[in-house]
Amino acid sequence: MDILAELLYARSQGASDVHLMEGRLPRIRLHGEIRQVDGHAQEACCQLERSMQPLLSILAWEKYLRGEDVDFALDLPDVGRFRVNLFQTANGAGAVFRCIPDDPPQLVQLACPPVFESLLDACDGLILVAGATGSGKSTTLAAMLHHINCHQQRHIITIEDPIEYRHTSRKSIVSQREVGHHCPGFVEALRAALRQDPDVIMVGEMRDIESMRLAMTAAETGHLVMASLHARSAPQAIQRIIDVFPAGERDAVRCLLADALKAVIAQRLEPDAAGGRRALWEILVATQAVRHMVRENRIPQLHSVMQSGQQHGMQTWAQHRERQGLDASDDSAI
């Protein structure tokens, strides 16, 4: 099959993802919905494995043949950049291509609230970007890094799996590292980053106890750390970090997190009136009251703090919907 033709067509339609499955027609995700686009001559995917093999490194192909999923980034001249996941199914090979724009987004393009910029002026602390899979966490992190890169003189280290947006050093120095290619794992890269004179560390995803512990420690010891996390709300993101640790460590972890935390930004995407999708944000800023509640394990009360913390840039899902002129009661995330 002609993978390049499918990817070119998907980009021309503004799709976010391309789904290829052996024996099935290609599909794209457009404005959050899986679609078979009319008017595009399509044939069922045939010999997808053979078509994918030239796109993978030898090590990645061997990993796939062992039955493991393979994540990698792909630059195709005159087509674009993609994040790819190749996997096996009962019907044969499957691949999902995430379309990545050529340039990092800007905060203004995403309509991010002004508090984003003030948070990025901090010299240290932990900023968490939380959300479900496909909610745009990587895009928001890329916009935040781009803002720092364009306006501040810092050393930015990113640890990603794989590298998505490419950042060219501007006012800042940007060092991008890919897990499995430039470093063996997130934990090893985080440890090494502390010896590489960083000002800002971006962790693509905090996945385990050790990466969470190192990220919090780095944030507490003079670095601005940004990381993504799978959670549906700001309080849930904090609770998820605490719950990962054994019960005997949780009191100490709450204290460490309370000291390190700068903000939690939870986000999701929903359809807009123009037929595209808009981002909604729930924002929790680590004021003294918030830090005290985290230490005291009063996580459920953080929602009321966000409701009354607008002077600090905080907001709940419902408040953001109200500012957008939407029905605040129509909110499945609350």
Side-chain angles (χ1 to χ4, degrees):
M1 67 170 300
D2 191 345
I3 292 178
L4 296 186
E6 297 299 336
L7 297 179
L8 273 171
Y9 182 77
R11 277 198 176 273
S12 72
Q13 298 299 302
S16 62
D17 300 86
V18 182
H19 290 253
L20 304 179
M21 301 287 177
E22 185 69 32
R24 300 179 184 176
L25 291 172
R27 298 287 191 274
I28 64 173
R29 185 178 293 276
L30 186 64
H31 306 319
E33 298 181 355
I34 296 290
R35 300 184 184 181
Q36 177 184 342
V37 181
D38 296 333
H40 176 49
Q42 291 181 327
E43 296 180 357
C45 298
C46 181
Q47 296 184 322
L48 181 58
E49 280 189 359
R50 180 179 296 180
S51 300
M52 289 294 299
Q53 184 176 1
L55 305 179
L56 277 70
S57 67
I58 294 175
L59 290 177
W61 181 247
E62 291 175 348
K63 181 178 179 181
Y64 170 75
L65 293 179
R66 292 196 301 268
E68 300 180 49
D69 296 351
V70 181
D71 285 299
F72 62 99
L74 186 62
D75 274 310
L76 297 173
D78 302 320
V79 180
R81 184 169 175 81
F82 302 86
R83 186 187 74 196
V84 189
N85 181 270
L86 177 65
F87 54 97
Q88 297 184 22
T89 76
N91 297 318
V96 178
F97 293 75
R98 169 64 55 84
C99 303
I100 301 173
D102 295 329
D103 299 313
Q106 299 180 36
L107 294 177
V108 66
Q109 291 174 321
L110 303 182
C112 295
V115 69
F116 277 53
E117 291 189 19
S118 61
L119 291 172
L120 297 176
D121 287 335
C123 295
D124 57 11
L126 176 64
I127 299 176
L128 296 173
V129 178
T133 300
S135 60
K137 299 186 297 296
S138 296
T139 300
T140 297
L141 282 169
M144 295 165 74
L145 288 176
H146 184 64
H147 179 82
I148 294 174
N149 187 23
C150 291
H151 295 91
Q152 302 173 25
Q153 293 179 319
R154 300 197 188 186
H155 180 203
I156 301 168
I157 296 177
T158 76
I159 306 167
E160 303 171 73
D161 182 21
I163 292 172
E164 296 192 25
Y165 290 89
R166 293 284 191 183
H167 294 271
T168 301
S169 296
R170 297 194 180 187
K171 280 194 172 182
S172 292
I173 303 170
V174 184
S175 304
Q176 293 187 264
R177 308 193 72 197
E178 184 168 307
V179 171
H181 185 62
H182 306 120
C183 52
F186 281 101
V187 172
E188 294 84 354
L190 265 168
R191 287 200 185 101
L194 297 177
R195 300 189 295 271
Q196 293 161 358
D197 189 32
D199 298 293
V200 180
I201 303 172
M202 193 280 279
V203 184
E205 184 179 349
M206 296 200 301
R207 296 179 174 177
D208 52 37
I209 287 177
E210 195 58 27
S211 62
M212 291 180 181
R213 193 193 310 274
L214 284 169
M216 289 188 288
T217 301
E220 192 188 22
T221 55
H223 307 87
L224 181 61
V225 179
M226 297 185 288
S228 72
L229 190 70
H230 289 289
R232 292 184 61 84
S233 69
Q236 188 184 92
I238 292 175
Q239 191 66 61
R240 180 172 181 188
I241 291 176
I242 295 168
D243 288 347
V244 165
F245 290 83
E249 295 185 42
R250 289 176 186 169
D251 287 344
V253 168
R254 280 192 290 269
C255 290
L256 178 59
L257 180 57
D259 291 338
L261 192 65
K262 183 65 63 178
V264 184
I265 299 166
Q267 71 174 64
R268 59 191 182 95
L269 301 176
E270 67 169 31
D272 62 21
R277 290 195 293 174
R278 80 176 109 226
L280 290 179
W281 286 286
E282 181 176 73
I283 303 172
L284 175 70
V285 178
T287 61
Q288 288 302 317
V290 168
R291 297 181 196 278
H292 180 70
M293 288 182 177
V294 173
R295 289 191 190 95
E296 298 296 318
N297 198 25
R298 292 155 54 190
I299 309 303
Q301 297 179 29
L302 293 175
H303 185 266
S304 63
V305 174
M306 286 188 289
Q307 286 179 314
S308 60
Q310 296 183 46
Q311 72 273 25
H312 300 291
M314 295 193 238
Q315 64 184 24
T316 63
W317 298 116
Q319 287 170 333
H320 192 186
R321 291 183 65 86
E322 288 175 356
R323 294 185 188 121
Q324 295 276 327
L326 304 172
D327 181 2
S329 64
D330 180 20
D331 200 328
S332 59
I334 295 178

